[in-house]
């Protein structure tokens, strides 16, 4: 990981000062995935990456001299300077293809994996791509064919579920720049269907998941300054949903505010509110109310939780007049 980051810094710095004359697309932030993939793969396993594949190439063992040489069109390059940044390959090390077209890698990986299966080779094909590739037809076609033919093919991602079935991970873009502690235990995992109590409280329960948990924690700090003790529950997963933990918390506080990144209609917060209303009918301090998110989005620098989140209030009495 250190080598990947240092190589990226050196290349970007050299281009910025005019020392290097080449085209380069950084892979910053993805070093951990490539490093772990490189450790897991054997020398004969194959890799298909993208034009942002510096970290993948280093993880698979391609020498820096050959990577830099290829980017600068030199004969010492992995493809003798004929491929450039977008088309670096090193078949001797299992790097079969680098693509400059979004979503073009998965079909190629399907072909490589199919060849390995038909030849009865004990070999895995890994394809690396960004989130944008999942919006292309080629990705979905390749994923279907890989599943239909049961091919030895893997797609490393930022997050995954330890399961043999396919995993869909939807990432909140406003969480990507947030910094925090990172687990270093290789066996670390978050149990599915088990909520996490982020902060204990007695007056009201703030319920959220993903980015909204950070909003809830910030709100709890503000409420504490006003003498209100807020409990914060992180759902962590929506399916399965830890209904017991949510009910237990709200039963104690008799009030709940559900924050979710969705508009009013059909959001996950509505489902949580329906469950709480049914299970705790007669125990809540007041009827439920909702405050939907605005459908439009303001300038990024002025965005706030009120522009992107919906709120469902259970057991909370509105001040007069009701907030808009």
């Amino acid at each position: 990981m250190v080598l990947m980051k240092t190589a990226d810094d050196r290349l970007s710095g050299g281009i910025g000062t005019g020392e290097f004359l080449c085209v380069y697309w950084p892979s910053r932030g993805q070093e951990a995935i490539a490093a772990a993939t490189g450790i897991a793969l054997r020398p004969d396993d194959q890799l298909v990456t993208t034009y942002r594949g510096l970290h993948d190439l280093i993880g698979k063992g391609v020498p820096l001299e050959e990577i830099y040489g290829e980017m600068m069109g030199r004969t010492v390059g992995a493809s003798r300077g004929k491929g450039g940044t977008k088309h670096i390959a090193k078949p001797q090390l299992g790097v079969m293809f680098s693509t400059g077209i979004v979503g073009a890698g998965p079909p190629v990986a399907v072909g490589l994996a199919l060849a390995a299966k038909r030849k009865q080779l004990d070999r895995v094909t890994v394809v690396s791509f960004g989130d944008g590739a999942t919006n292309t037809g080629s990705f979905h076609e390749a994923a279907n064919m890989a599943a239909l033919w049961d091919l030895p093919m893997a797609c490393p991602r930022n997050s995954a579920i330890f399961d043999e079935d396919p995993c869909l991970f939807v990432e909140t873009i406003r969480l990507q720049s947030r910094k925090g502690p990172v687990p270093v235990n290789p066996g670390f995992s978050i149990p599915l269907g088990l909520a996490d109590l982020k902060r204990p409280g007695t007056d009201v329960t703030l319920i959220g998941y993903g980015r909204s948990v950070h909003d809830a924690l910030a709100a709890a700090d503000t409420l504490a300054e006003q003498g209100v003790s807020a409990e914060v529950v992180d759902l962590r997963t929506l399916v399965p949903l830890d209904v017991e933990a949510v009910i237990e918390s709200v039963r104690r506080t008799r009030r709940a505010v559900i924050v979710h990144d969705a508009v009013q209609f059909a959001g996950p917060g509505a489902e949580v509110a329906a469950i709480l209303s049914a299970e705790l009918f007669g125990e809540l301090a007041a009827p439920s109310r909702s405050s939907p998110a605005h459908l439009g989005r303001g300038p990024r620098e002025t965005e706030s939780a009120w522009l992107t989140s919906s709120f469902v209030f259970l057991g909370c009495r509105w001040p007069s007049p009701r907030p808009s």
Side-chain angles (χ1 to χ4, degrees):
M1 288 178 59
V2 174
L3 177 60
M4 295 171 185
K5 181 180 182 300
T6 303
D8 176 82
D9 289 339
R10 180 69 181 92
L11 193 56
S12 298
I15 294 175
T17 61
E19 180 183 2
F20 302 148
L21 183 60
C22 65
V23 179
Y24 172 60
W25 290 267
S27 55
R28 179 59 58 86
Q30 308 299 316
E31 295 89 353
I33 304 168
T37 302
I39 293 174
L41 294 180
R42 297 177 304 193
D44 59 330
D45 290 331
Q46 296 181 326
L47 171 70
V48 175
T49 186
T50 73
Y51 56 94
R52 292 186 183 272
L54 173 65
H55 57 323
D56 290 327
L57 298 172
I58 294 175
K60 200 64 173 73
V62 181
L64 280 179
E65 181 183 16
E66 296 188 18
I67 298 174
Y68 286 173
E70 189 62 34
M71 291 180 176
M72 299 175 197
R74 305 297 178 85
T75 56
V76 296
S79 303
R80 299 188 62 78
K82 299 179 179 179
T85 305
K86 290 186 177 182
H87 304 291
I88 298 177
K90 186 73 172 179
Q92 303 92 318
L93 297 177
V95 180
M96 306 306 295
F97 183 62
S98 296
T99 174
I101 301 175
V102 175
V108 177
V110 165
L112 292 169
L114 178 61
K117 183 175 182 179
R118 296 190 65 174
K119 293 179 180 180
Q120 298 183 344
L121 300 176
D122 184 19
R123 186 174 69 198
V124 172
T125 300
V126 171
V127 56
S128 177
F129 50 86
D131 293 340
T134 60
N135 290 325
T136 64
S138 57
F139 162 76
H140 293 278
E141 293 167 3
N144 277 309
M145 298 309 294
L148 179 65
W149 291 336
D150 191 23
L151 299 180
M153 176 175 158
C155 308
R157 306 301 299 137
N158 295 345
S159 296
I161 296 177
F162 295 107
D163 196 284
E164 294 181 357
D165 292 328
C167 163
L168 174 63
F169 175 71
V170 181
E171 187 173 33
T172 304
I173 191 170
R174 292 185 65 191
L175 279 177
Q176 292 180 350
S177 60
R178 184 175 292 274
K179 297 181 180 181
V182 177
V184 295
N185 181 7
F188 174 82
S189 64
I190 296 176
L192 295 177
L194 187 62
D196 184 31
L197 180 62
K198 294 295 186 183
R199 174 175 179 150
T202 57
D203 297 326
V204 61
T205 300
L206 308 183
I207 304 170
Y209 67 93
R211 184 189 62 84
S212 61
V213 175
H214 299 282
D215 296 334
L217 289 169
D221 290 336
T222 302
L223 290 172
E225 297 174 358
Q226 303 173 13
V228 178
S229 175
E231 183 159 294
V232 178
V233 176
D234 180 2
L235 296 176
R236 298 204 289 194
T237 62
L238 297 176
V239 181
L241 179 67
D242 191 352
V243 176
E244 291 77 12
V246 175
I247 292 177
E248 179 185 354
S249 176
V250 179
R251 176 170 280 131
R252 285 187 287 100
T253 63
R254 299 179 62 226
R255 300 174 181 85
V257 178
I258 306 166
V259 190
H260 60 123
D261 289 343
V263 292
Q264 183 179 23
F265 180 76
E271 181 66 23
V272 176
I275 293 173
L276 290 174
S277 297
E279 295 293 333
L280 301 178
F281 184 78
E283 299 184 43
L284 296 173
S288 64
R289 298 288 184 93
S290 65
S291 178
H294 296 290
L295 291 176
R297 296 184 64 185
R300 182 172 297 273
E301 60 271 14
T302 61
E303 283 184 8
S304 67
W306 291 97
L307 286 174
T308 58
S309 299
S310 287
F311 299 82
V312 181
F313 300 83
L314 292 92
C316 304
R317 296 191 179 277
W318 288 104
S320 183
R322 174 181 172 178
S324 59

